[in-house]
Amino acid sequence: MSAPVMNRPAGETPPGGSGSPAAIKAIRLRHPWRNTFAVVLILIFVLFIIDASQREAFGWDYVGKYLFDQRISQAAFVTLQLTVYSMVIAIILGVTLAVMRLSPNPVLKGVAWFYLWVFRGTPVYVQLTFWGLIAIIYKTIDIGVPFATPWISINTDAALSPFALAIIGLALNEAAYMAEIVRAGLLSVDRGQEEASTALGMSWFQTMRRVILPQSMRIIIPPTGNEVISMLKTTSLVTAVPFSFDLYARARDISVETFNPIPLLIVASIWYLFFTSILMVGQYFLEKRFARGVGDRRPDKKDTSALTGTVPVAGAGQATVIIPPSDDNDKGKR
């Protein structure tokens, strides 16, 4: 029957010369300056809050009055609509452009490259301004055979409202960035995965749905979440269309009535922060969902039950029993 290993000072070898030295108890390093810096930051933040609460320019009474005003809440809903519709179109178009960029067809690749070159190389505000002037460039939308009498001719102003033009302008600009995000995600998957799927008899669609896309989502989701948050804030530029029913535009219009723009800017900022906070939480859980099985999988709690048992020692001719660590009182008894 094997004897338990007694607790000895660090580095001392057990009697008989067999076995390994006792483990050294590590002591966590202290960081006094880190704690001091954290306290200083907290004090600065508290002082800023106290100072802001006492400044009349912020107009906190106006902030409370207009924070849940019906015009502001309706404008916040419109901003969400602009964000969702634009991102859905941008993702669909971005995936298409990414596939075109990866296509061996030089024509498809060239068209996709030209699209990215134009929409990534010009400011989004300029693009939205052009979309606001689209009715001057194209007075009618004609459907039919080119260079012949059109079958259907629709007035551009009647067919495209400012809300639709804002969505089109935002979506086309965002699609250029989504195309590069999706392309980077697809290229991050090893080529052997596709070859193995083909060897198993999977079709291209099955390979993309079951093998390539699930692995590439780990790369695609983080920047896509950032683009959704960025799109929410970019909607404040749709006044270039012009479209004036988004959150920022409505807050600005109300501030013209009250002759006090600062409180309405704070109201708009609070709503933007509320929406972005929700999006950040959703992004966190999506990243966690698609990052399963990747990286170090270290348990949060140490399993002490794994420290007990009989471990064979080579050349010793007998087994050594490892006893789990106990309290200081138990150490003194052994």
Side-chain angles (χ1 to χ4, degrees):
M1 181 176 180
S2 58
V5 177
M6 307 298 289
N7 289 299
R8 299 179 179 85
E12 182 179 342
T13 305
S18 61
S20 58
I24 300 176
K25 182 180 180 180
I27 301 176
R28 185 183 298 273
L29 293 177
R30 300 182 182 276
H31 301 279
W33 289 110
R34 180 187 301 177
N35 298 332
T36 303
F37 184 67
V39 171
V40 171
L41 288 179
I42 293 175
L43 290 177
I44 293 175
F45 177 75
V46 171
L47 291 175
F48 173 78
I49 296 297
I50 295 175
D51 178 75
S53 63
Q54 297 176 352
R55 292 189 178 271
E56 296 181 359
F58 287 109
W60 296 110
D61 52 340
Y62 281 95
V63 173
K65 178 180 178 180
Y66 290 102
L67 183 60
F68 298 103
D69 186 88
Q70 184 177 3
R71 292 171 292 179
I72 294 295
S73 58
Q74 289 178 350
F77 179 71
V78 172
T79 297
L80 281 181
Q81 287 182 309
L82 289 171
T83 303
V84 173
Y85 295 158
S86 300
M87 282 305 304
V88 169
I89 298 174
I91 291 174
I92 295 174
L93 185 56
V95 172
T96 304
L97 290 170
V99 174
M100 292 172 64
R101 284 292 307 274
L102 297 175
S103 172
N105 190 320
V107 176
L108 295 178
K109 184 180 296 185
V111 170
W113 180 88
F114 180 78
Y115 182 96
L116 300 181
W117 176 64
V118 171
F119 284 92
R120 292 176 63 193
T122 54
V124 60
Y125 191 85
V126 175
Q127 297 175 26
L128 291 173
T129 304
F130 265 107
W131 283 106
L133 301 173
I134 194 68
I136 300 176
I137 303 173
Y138 302 99
K139 298 183 181 299
T140 59
I141 300 176
D142 300 328
I143 301 176
V145 180
F147 307 106
T149 303
W151 303 334
I152 302 175
S153 183
I154 306 174
N155 193 308
T156 304
D157 286 331
L160 298 175
S161 64
F163 181 75
L165 291 174
I167 292 175
I168 293 172
L170 292 173
L172 293 181
N173 176 265
E174 184 60 34
Y177 297 93
M178 285 303 306
E180 290 299 283
I181 292 173
V182 174
R183 186 173 71 93
L186 296 177
L187 291 176
S188 66
V189 181
D190 189 82
R191 181 71 178 178
Q193 300 285 330
E194 185 177 354
E195 296 175 353
S197 302
T198 303
L200 292 174
M202 291 186 180
S203 63
W204 181 87
F205 179 76
Q206 290 176 328
T207 301
M208 292 296 295
R209 182 171 62 89
R210 299 181 179 180
V211 180
I212 305 299
L213 282 177
Q215 297 184 63
S216 63
M217 291 300 287
R218 179 175 58 89
I219 305 298
I220 294 174
I221 284 180
T224 301
N226 295 335
E227 290 298 318
V228 174
I229 295 174
S230 178
M231 174 63 73
L232 177 69
K233 296 178 291 185
T234 307
T235 56
S236 61
L237 300 178
V238 295
T239 52
V241 171
F243 181 77
S244 58
F245 293 97
D246 65 294
L247 180 57
Y248 171 72
R250 294 302 291 163
R252 184 190 58 188
D253 293 342
I254 297 175
S255 66
V256 173
E257 300 175 1
T258 61
F259 299 100
N260 195 359
I262 297 178
L264 273 303
L265 289 176
I266 295 177
V267 169
S269 300
I270 291 174
W271 278 96
Y272 281 122
L273 286 172
F274 173 71
F275 289 142
T276 53
S277 300
I278 295 176
L279 292 175
M280 290 172 65
V281 172
Q283 178 184 352
Y284 168 78
F285 284 105
L286 279 177
E287 291 182 13
K288 186 177 180 180
R289 168 67 176 79
F290 285 97
R292 294 181 304 175
V294 178
D296 297 332
R297 311 301 298 172
R298 291 173 294 184
D300 296 335
K301 296 181 180 180
K302 295 182 179 180
D303 187 6
T304 57
S305 61
L307 297 177
T308 61
T310 303
V311 180
V313 180
Q318 61 178 357
T320 302
V321 177
I322 301 177
I323 301 177
S326 57
D327 299 336
D328 295 337
N329 295 333
D330 295 338
K331 290 181 180 180
K333 295 178 181 179
R334 291 178 181 169

